[in-house]
Structures are given as C-alpha cells and as structure tokens.
Amino acid sequence: MHLRKRVLVTGGAGFLGSHLCKRLLDEGYDVLCLDNFFTGTKDNVLELLDNPHFELMRHDVTFPLYVEVDEIYNLACPASPIHYQHDPVQTTKTSVHGAINMLGLAKRTGAKIFQASTSEVYGDPEVHPQTEDYWGHVNPNGIRSCYDEGKRCAETLFFDYHRQHKLRIKVARIFNTYGPNMHPNDGRVVSNFIMQALQNQPITIYGDGSQSRSFCYVDDLIEAFVRLMNSPDDFTGPVNTGNPNEFTIKELAEKVIELTGSKSELIYEPLPSDDPTQRQPDITLAREKLGWEPKVQLEEGLKKTIPYFASLLG
Ligand code: NAD
Ligand code: UDP
C-alpha cells in the first residue's frame, strides 16, 4: 500500500492556504485543511471538496487540536490590516496561542512545522532591502502591533521549540503577495485597486503614493513554501520569500488602470499610521538555500489576477 504523507494546513481556506492545499494534493499528500472561516471561505476550496484525499475542518487554532500528521503548515491568521485590526486581541491570540498549540501538536507527533511569518517583523524598516539578520523597527503598541508583535512572538516560540525540544521548524517571512482567491474586500492594495478599476470607481491612494512595496505572485510563493518544507532539517530559516521588484503604490495604480482599461481617476486619502514607507526583500538566502526566485513579474501576475476579481463581479 502506498502511504501518503498527511499534512495539516491551518488557515487552509484563506488566500494562500487554498493555493497550498491544491498544490499539496497535486503532489500526492493527504491534506487536512483547518480554518475558522474568519477571512477564508469554503468557496476557495470548493473544487477540492470532492477529492477523497482532502478534508476540511472548522476549528480555531487558539484551541488545542489532536490529529495525527507528518507535516504542518501554520498559516492561520488574518493578513490584511482591516481584518487583523477588526479584533486585535484575537489577532495576537491567533498568532501566539495558535503557534503554541501547533508547536505542541508538532512536538507530540514529531511533525515538521512551517510558520507563515511576515515582512511585518521588520516593521517600518531602516535597512533597505531587508535581510534576515535585520531585527526590525517595530512599534510595540500601535494599531499594527497586534499583527507584527504576534508574528514576532510566534517566531520566538518556533525557535525556542527548536532549541528546547529539537523540533524541525521552517520559518518563511512572506512579503506582499497577490493572486486569485484574495478576499475582494480585504482592503489590501492589489485587491482594492483592481476592484475599484473594474468598477470605474476612484482608485484610493493613501498618502502621496510614493511608499513602495514589492509584489509576489502567489504561484511563486507557494513554490518557495514547498521547497522550504523539503529543505534539509538544519535549514530552519527565517528566510525571506517575496519578489524583490519594488514599485511605488502610484505606479501600481497606473499599471492596474492600464491593464483593466479603466476610466478610474486617482484620489488621495490620508496615510494610515505606522504604514511602512518602503519594503523590498533581499532574497539572497532563498536563492542560495532553496534555489528559488520568483518567475512571474507584476504585469503578468496582474493579468492572471484581474479575471478572478472580474468573475466575482459577475
Ligand atoms: P487570509 O486572511 O486569506 O488567510 C488566513 C486564513 O486563516 C483565513 O482562511 C482565516 O479564516 C484563517 N484564520 C484566521 N484566524 C484563524 C484562527 N484563529 N483559527 C483558524 N483559522 C483562522 O490571508 P493570507 O494572505 O492567505 O495569509 C496566510 C498567512 O500568510 C497568514 O498567516 C499571514 O499572516 C501570512 N502572510 C501573508 C502575506 C500576504 O501578502 N498574503 C504576507 C505576509 C504574511
Ligand atoms: N494602500 C493604498 N490604497 C488602498 C490600499 C492600500 O494606497 O486602497 C497602500 C497602503 O497604505 C500601503 C500599501 O498600499 O502603503 C500596501 O498596503 P496593504 O494593506 O496591501 O499591505 P501592507 O501595508 O500590509 O504592506
């Protein structure tokens, strides 16, 4: 009998989680997708529900979980500012209690465990581009702190479980990623701009649009996740995963207008507090250790993403 590896994906019904579940099924894993459906939806995994090797479970990672698995991808956590600021205490609990519960599960089962960390651990960075050895510039009590500090504490827990209990850990620091299955109302810049452009509504630029981000297409990111999980045990990360091509928010708005043929105008709104002014991953480590770099550049990725949002509008 061929024994399939059993993998748990927390936050599996979310944007990144749904792509990861699909990829792991394609690779022959038995996939247990766990989600409390706070920001994720069954729609994201609808096409997987008929697959006998896929199982969908409603559960909140802030509560303990007893299942038998070989690998764990811990993605559960709202990722967009409006979602994670909706209930900030729950956001920190999800990162911290969620990490403790999933690490406890990994300890009991001996599973290898992956953590979806974030570029937000660098805060509003004073080092550019960001390398993994930079400790960050993070406000501990601002409106983004529930997310940033929660994710930083989760990293601490991962490394302490590794040092103290010899757990096999894999920590990826994810930079801004976009693609199909993003929540249309998550307030993130790519989803906002495409939805606004498709409806010929004004494109809302916060601040003067000179702040920058580096946008990674989802397929490239998922490739990095799988390579990291399969890398030798002595490589724990943290490793930056993202696309180093940096754009200003105004450039992104203009590109979206061009690709959608929209009549939208640009409007300027106040910049939210603690909004990082620039962000770009240094991916030297990922290139070296995982042989990975993104292949899909912004225009191509936006062309793959726009039809998804158009389909939501009917
Ligand atoms: P998402 O909001 O689409 O997905 C998160 C999923 O976690 C959702 O399905 C949500 O319902 C679920 N969830 C939230 N709280 C939970 C809880 N307590 N118990 C169980 N499930 C819970 O966001 P995403 O973009 O897919 O992000 C996935 C992970 O990657 C997150 O941990 C996020 O912090 C991280 N990340 C994403 C990005 C990005 O650009 N997309 C960047 C950095 C880090
Ligand atoms: N942003 C914007 N208009 C929007 C949504 C976001 O100008 O409608 C800006 C936001 O202020 C930030 C950047 O786009 O500077 C990226 O925002 P997002 O919420 O996508 O991600 P994060 O700030 O977490 O990188």
Side-chain angles (χ1 to χ4, degrees), residues 171-183:
V171 177
R173 290 186 179 151
I174 306 163
F175 284 65
N176 297 62
T177 301
Y178 67 99
N181 293 4
M182 284 184 94
H183 196 298

Side-chain angles (χ1 to χ4, degrees), residues 117-123 125 130 172-176 240 279:
S117 191
T118 170
S119 55
E120 300 283 344
V121 300
Y122 301 122
Q130 292 81 56
R173 290 186 179 151
I174 306 163
F175 284 65
N176 297 62
N240 289 338
R279 187 183 288 150

Side-chain angles (χ1 to χ4, degrees), residues 188-256:
R188 284 190 264 194
V189 69
V190 174
S191 40
N192 266 12
F193 285 5
I194 296 178
M195 289 296 282
Q196 290 162 344
L198 288 172
Q199 297 171 93
N200 294 312
Q201 290 167 355
I203 305 259
T204 52
I205 293 186
Y206 303 159
D208 62 5
S210 64
Q211 73 272 35
S212 69
R213 294 292 187 274
S214 311
F215 299 100
C216 186
Y217 186 66
V218 60
D219 290 355
D220 282 333
L221 189 79
I222 300 301
E223 178 65 31
F225 284 13
V226 173
R227 284 187 188 217
L228 176 57
M229 188 59 117
N230 293 329
S231 64
D233 285 349
D234 63 359
F235 183 59
T236 57
V239 57
N240 289 338
T241 52
N243 190 320
N245 278 348
E246 186 178 345
F247 294 85
T248 67
I249 295 305
K250 185 149 184 260
E251 284 168 342
L252 175 72
E254 285 159 354
K255 183 57 80 187
V256 168

Side-chain angles (χ1 to χ4, degrees), residues 10-18 34-41 44 59-62 74-80 83 90 93-95 98 115-120 147 151 172-178 181-183 186 188 216 221 225:
T10 78
F15 160 47
L16 298 178
S18 58
L34 177 155
D35 210 292
N36 72 348
F37 302 116
F38 173 52
T39 53
T41 72
N44 284 340
H59 180 82
D60 187 317
V61 287
T62 62
N74 187 36
L75 272 60
C77 186
S80 83
H83 286 147
Q90 172 69 9
K93 279 189 188 168
T94 293
S95 277
Q115 168 67 357
S117 191
T118 170
S119 55
E120 300 283 344
Y147 183 77
K151 289 285 189 179
R173 290 186 179 151
I174 306 163
F175 284 65
N176 297 62
T177 301
Y178 67 99
N181 293 4
M182 284 184 94
H183 196 298
D186 69 3
R188 284 190 264 194
C216 186
L221 189 79
F225 284 13

Side-chain angles (χ1 to χ4, degrees), residues 264-306:
S264 295
E265 50 168 359
L266 304 183
I267 58 165
Y268 293 86
E269 293 186 357
L271 190 67
S273 66
D274 294 342
D275 197 287
T277 46
Q278 53 179 13
R279 187 183 288 150
Q280 186 200 114
D282 181 320
I283 60 163
T284 308
L285 187 66
R287 281 199 177 102
E288 187 187 307
K289 294 286 188 183
L290 310 176
W292 173 85
E293 63 181 4
K295 301 214 165 356
V296 181
Q297 298 310 340
L298 187 64
E299 179 159 333
E300 187 190 347
L302 288 174
K303 282 183 182 162
K304 290 170 184 261
T305 307
I306 290 166

